[in-house]
Amino acid sequence: MASDADLTFTPLLHPPLSSTTIHRRGSLDAPVEFTCLLLTHVTPSSSPTSAATSNTSSSSSSTTTTTTTTPTPARVPADAFSVLLWYTDTSQTPATWHPAPFTPLPLSTTPFPLPPADRHDLFHLALPIRGLGPLQFALKYKFGDTGPWLWAGSRIGGGDGRVLFFPPPEHGPRGPVPVGQLFKFAGQRWEGGAEPGRVEDGAWVYRLSRGVEGEGPATERLGRPLGVERWWAAVKIAVPWLGPLHGKGCWEGVRGAAVAVFCRRDAMKVCVLPVSGGKDGREWMLESDEEGSPGDLVVAGGTGRGGCRVVVTVAETADKAVGAAVAEVGRILAEDEEVEEKLVRLEIEAEKEEDEEEDENRADWECGLSYSTWNSLGSDLTEDRILDALQKQKEAGIKICNLIIDDNWQDLASRNGTNTGTLSSFDANSSFPSGLSGLVSTIRTRFPYIRHIGVWHALGGYWDGITPSPSPLADTYATKTLTWADNVGGSTKEVTLIAPCAVHQFYDDFYASLAAAGIDCVKADCQSRLDEYGDPSLWEPYQSALRAAAHKHFSDRAIWCMSHLPRNLWSSLLRRSGPPRLFRTSDDFYPSTPATHAWHIHANAHNGTLFSHLHIFPDWDMFATAAPLTPAAAWLHAAARAVSGGPLFITDPPGAHTPAIIAALTAPVAGRTHALQCTRPARARETFVGFADPRLLVLDNETHTGAAVMGVFNTTLGTLGELVPLPAPVTAGEGGGGWIARRTRVDAAGTLVADTPVKVRGAWVPVQLPPGGWEVWTFSPLNEAIAFAVLGLRGKIVGPRAAHHWAEGVLEDWNDGMVLTVGSGRSAA
């Protein structure tokens, strides 16, 4: 029975539209492979005389609808598609556009579940192209013999796709080239600018330097980056925080970038990283010249001594280029350190090695379920409210491992709001009648499963430093008075700080007092405030005092927060000795501001491009498992934390919990509640995809068991679909026996579900997500000799992580969920 119907077509293309993809060619004769999955949705039409065909490009926010008078059956039609790639090789002159037809493939080509649709059609194209590109392309297709041709790409307001090629060996560079071939600049103005770089770990590394007169602010011009396709930079979005900024072609509109990476049209990546701190003292940031020579890269320095030093690296990937640049900065700063200072640090590092052998509780600090009072209880903090919140958690069956007592427990003066006031003494305020020691004792008695109890403080004591004399602190330690200009409110005030000469003693006494009260970890916040005082002499004394005291009294259990300043990154977070430092990698998470939620995930993922190369444990900040978050938002942020490679901090209001979310993220381990985490700091797979680009955000990670983890998130405002390439270890065939894939997501009812595991075939998985949607894929190596793969625990977002605890004999109740999937597809608990 036939009736009119509306047909909606959604093409999923790989390589994708609205983006730039890198392709390695073994020879100029090797074709470029394209795959297209067309989704067709059939909806009964309200019109009795016509049918509409609608083209929705899932790689574009635009939708074009074309009306035709050909009646279409309401059932899924059987007409065939004609699909063309419309392309041009921009290296050819003149550049002309050509069509290339796709050929159909059977759906059995992919073993993975397909996005919902009334009909699925799969196509393939092996495009022969001998040019060196870039290749630019769009998609053109029609349904049936009489249907209209529909476009996906720039012709309907979206974006074309582009492919950059690593040239075959005979056409590519054989070694480092002078920096003058990377930037349009006068090489003789920079020492090292006329010399080829050296090769370090597969990257070309250059050191550039230039003398600067005086100690005031300075600006040095590096020049215009050449051959730029796209770029990424970590820029100041506020004094304490860096955030990602993306651009295409021209370097423009940039202020305060700590690092930048340029993707060239020859597919090579160029990283530029100015050296801050060290013997020269200044902080240097990258900017764009918006006046004299637009597009030029400028290095802007603050007050301090010495010259301008810049590290430039070139590599095939952004990750390798940034890693090489960070390592080179470490070498430079190590050369700067005085012999006496080196000896002091070597002593501290030796002590760390001894202490690490004795500290068996590091896993509880890094992996344990943690609770912060900040968003949960706010600044109205009291002893009774903390105990009430912990009691409600206990009644809900939630056993946290770590507790952070956040802002407003201290003895303060002149407090007005949540970020003003001064610290008067080491004691707790009157809202804690039992004092810290009494509160800690009560917590240990009533909630014995809590392993670590910590407190918040600002690096300078409190937001506005310490209370001037007469006060216990100002009367005990040498002080220094400085002027602070509020960069938000515009006001100016005098602040009193502990003088650099006394700050080591201050921190030793402060942390000793906390330790005596039973506190065994801290959150050192507001670290950026020191940068606003305009006194470079504060940085190293305060940072070294914090490091030494945290090591001595808390075995390095400290959180670095509001600390995205280059001098801080290189002074405290680049050192490889001791355990990694727990480090906040983005601005705060704002549960009550939904407009910031997608950005928060995007910013953390792209900040990982830089931060993953520091000696850190990445903290994506606390989140709530229930109100004020919607269930969908709570699950979204739970999934993001699961693949972040960092700690799990919740900040649920008392009694407001979603136990299913906590259960999906954790497992009972040796009497504690531990997060099922990935093993390294996560970073965005595609460095040069910006927040405004209509692309899915993909995060790669792994577990201790060798499983690959891939998180896919839609941080845009529209529904997006893509053919997402498999993680590198899977496509490279690591392990030799194949891989078993499993997808975890939340269904329409808000329930966590996992698909039936399948053996991996092909190179991609089809994903289509609504705004705020997510999927986490785990890929477990298959041991074909005995035909099984360990998938981990059921009902978990990163189930394979539990297998590590199982192997160590510390996972409780593993018999109730450990899944072994044999090669035949059978499974057993």
Side-chain angles (χ1 to χ4, degrees):
M1 181 176 179
S3 64
D4 291 339
D6 292 332
L7 303 181
T8 302
F9 308 124
T10 303
L12 279 58
L13 183 65
H14 184 77
L17 297 167
S18 301
S19 192
T20 299
T21 304
I22 309 298
H23 182 72
R24 182 177 297 281
R25 308 182 73 184
S27 71
L28 290 181
D29 295 324
V32 182
E33 306 283 339
F34 285 84
T35 304
C36 179
L37 176 66
L38 268 169
L39 310 179
T40 302
H41 294 274
V42 182
T43 306
S45 175
S46 58
S47 169
T49 59
S50 67
T53 59
S54 176
N55 161 41
T56 304
S57 169
S58 66
S59 293
S60 169
S61 58
S62 61
T63 300
T64 297
T65 301
T66 305
T67 301
T68 175
T69 57
T70 304
T72 306
R75 64 180 181 273
V76 179
D79 302 58
F81 281 97
S82 299
V83 184
L84 301 174
L85 188 79
W86 204 252
Y87 73 95
T88 180
D89 179 356
T90 61
S91 67
Q92 303 299 311
T93 305
T96 55
W97 288 81
H98 309 277
F102 284 77
T103 57
L105 282 180
L107 291 176
S108 59
T109 302
T110 176
F112 303 112
L114 300 174
D118 295 306
R119 171 175 163 174
H120 302 84
D121 292 87
L122 188 62
F123 302 89
H124 175 260
L125 166 64
L127 181 68
I129 179 170
R130 291 188 55 82
L132 295 176
L135 177 72
Q136 186 164 334
F137 60 90
L139 193 70
K140 184 179 181 181
Y141 60 96
K142 72 174 182 176
F143 179 68
D145 295 331
T146 59
W149 283 101
L150 304 173
W151 286 92
S154 62
R155 289 161 180 79
I156 60 167
D160 289 344
R162 285 170 66 85
V163 176
L164 308 183
F165 298 108
F166 282 122
E170 63 272 18
H171 293 275
R174 298 181 182 276
V177 298
V179 180
Q181 295 185 28
L182 306 174
F183 298 90
K184 185 179 180 181
F185 81 119
Q188 67 274 14
R189 295 186 62 245
W190 289 84
E191 183 178 343
E195 304 170 6
R198 70 180 194 280
V199 178
E200 291 279 352
D201 239 359
W204 307 345
V205 181
Y206 308 80
R207 289 188 184 185
L208 307 180
S209 61
R210 177 162 167 76
V212 177
E213 295 183 1
E215 297 186 5
T219 300
E220 301 298 323
R221 185 181 304 278
L222 185 59
R224 178 172 302 183
L226 298 175
V228 175
E229 173 81 6
R230 288 177 175 247
W231 53 264
W232 162 91
V235 304
K236 282 284 191 69
I237 59 173
V239 173
W241 306 113
L242 294 174
L245 182 66
H246 293 82
K248 302 176 184 178
C250 185
W251 169 257
E252 58 185 358
V254 183
R255 287 287 182 270
V259 61
V261 183
F262 300 92
C263 177
R264 289 166 50 94
R265 286 189 286 273
D266 61 7
M268 298 299 284
K269 316 302 183 299
V270 178
C271 176
V272 182
L273 181 58
V275 182
S276 294
K279 67 181 181 182
D280 293 338
R282 297 181 195 262
E283 182 168 271
W284 294 92
M285 306 291 277
L286 303 175
E287 298 184 351
S288 56
D289 188 338
E290 302 299 324
E291 298 178 0
S293 298
D296 275 11
L297 192 153
V298 171
V299 190
T303 57
R305 305 182 311 276
C308 177
R309 297 180 293 179
V310 178
V311 170
V312 176
T313 58
V314 182
E316 291 188 353
T317 67
D319 180 56
K320 182 170 286 188
V322 174
V326 170
E328 186 69 3
V329 168
R331 285 188 283 267
I332 291 172
L333 295 180
E335 295 167 4
D336 285 354
E337 293 180 348
E338 299 295 334
V339 174
E340 182 179 354
E341 180 68 8
K342 280 187 177 180
L343 291 175
V344 171
R345 287 175 179 157
L346 287 174
E347 290 174 3
I348 292 176
E349 290 166 9
E351 292 173 359
K352 285 182 179 179
E353 292 177 1
E354 295 173 2
D355 288 357
E356 283 170 5
E357 295 178 2
E358 300 173 2
D359 186 7
E360 298 177 354
N361 299 306
R362 188 76 194 178
D364 289 334
W365 170 243
E366 294 186 348
C367 305
L369 174 63
S370 302
Y371 165 66
S372 169
T373 64
W374 180 239
N375 286 317
S376 173
L377 303 178
S379 59
D380 184 16
L381 204 57
T382 69
E383 179 177 320
D384 288 341
R385 293 192 72 206
I386 293 173
L387 294 172
D388 177 66
L390 296 177
Q391 180 62 33
K392 285 184 168 60
Q393 290 175 6
K394 182 178 180 179
E395 293 169 358
I398 299 169
K399 295 184 177 182
I400 63 169
C401 204
N402 306 304
L403 165 67
I404 297 295
I405 300 171
D406 216 291
D407 193 359
N408 204 30
W409 66 270
Q410 294 168 290
D411 178 19
L412 306 173
S414 305
R415 186 173 183 274
N416 181 21
T418 59
N419 58 357
T420 61
T422 57
L423 181 67
S424 298
S425 73
F426 295 149
D427 298 329
N429 62 43
S430 59
S431 295
F432 295 78
S434 302
L436 274 183
S437 60
L439 174 60
V440 170
S441 178
T442 301
I443 291 173
R444 298 283 187 207
T445 300
R446 291 176 55 183
F447 314 102
Y449 46 82
I450 297 179
R451 182 66 186 87
H452 298 297
I453 301 174
V455 293
W456 176 101
H457 71 85
L459 185 61
Y462 200 64
W463 292 92
D464 295 329
I466 68 167
T467 305
S469 183
S471 76
L473 296 181
D475 295 341
T476 303
Y477 304 96
T479 62
K480 186 173 186 176
T481 301
L482 296 165
T483 300
W484 175 64
D486 184 349
N487 67 89
V488 177
S491 61
T492 300
K493 66 175 71 172
E494 298 293 312
V495 296
T496 301
L497 296 176
I498 301 297
C501 64
V503 72
H504 273 266
Q505 187 63 55
F506 168 81
Y507 261 95
D508 189 41
D509 294 344
F510 182 23
Y511 282 11
S513 172
L514 294 176
I519 297 299
D520 59 5
C521 52
V522 291
K523 177 180 178 180
D525 207 345
C526 196
Q527 297 193 27
S528 62
R529 184 64 65 89
L530 293 185
D531 194 59
E532 300 177 57
Y533 297 138
D535 186 349
S537 70
L538 298 173
W539 263 107
E540 183 53 32
Y542 269 81
Q543 283 293 318
S544 61
L546 171 61
R547 293 193 302 268
H551 163 71
K552 178 180 178 180
H553 298 286
F554 305 136
S555 297
D556 298 298
R557 287 187 295 271
I559 303 173
W560 262 250
C561 191
M562 294 180 67
S563 54
H564 292 187
L565 295 112
R567 277 186 295 225
N568 191 21
L569 301 181
W570 312 141
S571 66
S572 289
L573 304 172
L574 189 56
R575 303 169 188 276
R576 297 292 169 180
S577 59
R581 305 193 186 281
L582 206 160
F583 169 72
R584 272 280 305 281
T585 52
S586 77
D587 190 0
D588 291 1
F589 175 59
Y590 301 101
S592 300
T593 312
T596 66
H597 292 177
W599 166 258
H600 187 83
I601 295 173
H602 171 87
N604 275 286
H606 281 276
N607 281 353
T609 302
L610 171 62
F611 294 152
S612 63
H613 295 284
L614 304 179
H615 192 48
I616 63 144
F617 191 52
D619 178 10
W620 284 33
D621 201 11
M622 64 194 89
F623 80 105
T625 68
L629 293 184
T630 64
W635 276 111
L636 169 67
H637 286 280
R641 302 313 189 275
V643 299
S644 71
L648 178 60
F649 272 91
I650 61 171
T651 184
D652 294 347
H657 311 289
T658 303
I661 292 180
I662 296 175
L665 294 168
T666 64
V669 176
R672 316 284 186 197
T673 304
H674 276 204
L676 298 178
Q677 303 157 309
C678 296
T679 59
R680 58 175 172 80
R683 56 180 176 267
R685 176 188 290 182
E686 297 196 47
T687 306
F688 304 101
V689 173
F691 189 58
D693 292 330
R695 293 290 312 282
L696 296 173
L697 173 67
V698 181
L699 298 175
D700 290 312
N701 218 313
E702 58 194 21
T703 71
H704 290 83
T705 59
V709 180
M710 181 178 77
V712 187
F713 302 87
N714 185 355
T715 57
T716 75
L717 297 178
T719 297
L720 292 180
E722 292 182 18
L723 304 181
V724 180
L726 298 172
V730 180
T731 56
E734 294 181 13
W739 297 79
I740 299 295
R742 196 180 197 202
R743 179 180 66 166
T744 301
R745 68 195 195 285
V746 171
D747 64 16
T751 303
L752 187 73
V753 294
D755 296 333
T756 301
V758 296
K759 186 173 182 181
V760 170
R761 297 197 315 275
W764 47 263
V765 296
V767 178
Q768 188 174 43
L769 297 172
W774 62 273
E775 295 179 356
V776 173
W777 291 75
T778 57
F779 302 86
S780 299
L782 175 65
N783 186 324
E784 287 193 326
I786 50 179
F788 79 89
V790 180
L791 301 186
L793 285 177
R794 295 187 181 96
K796 310 297 181 182
I797 295 177
V798 184
R801 176 65 173 89
H804 176 71
H805 298 307
W806 172 58
E808 292 185 332
V810 294
L811 180 69
E812 301 172 17
D813 300 326
W814 65 270
N815 283 322
D816 192 34
M818 183 64 66
V819 177
L820 306 179
T821 299
V822 299
S824 64
R826 293 175 290 123
S827 65

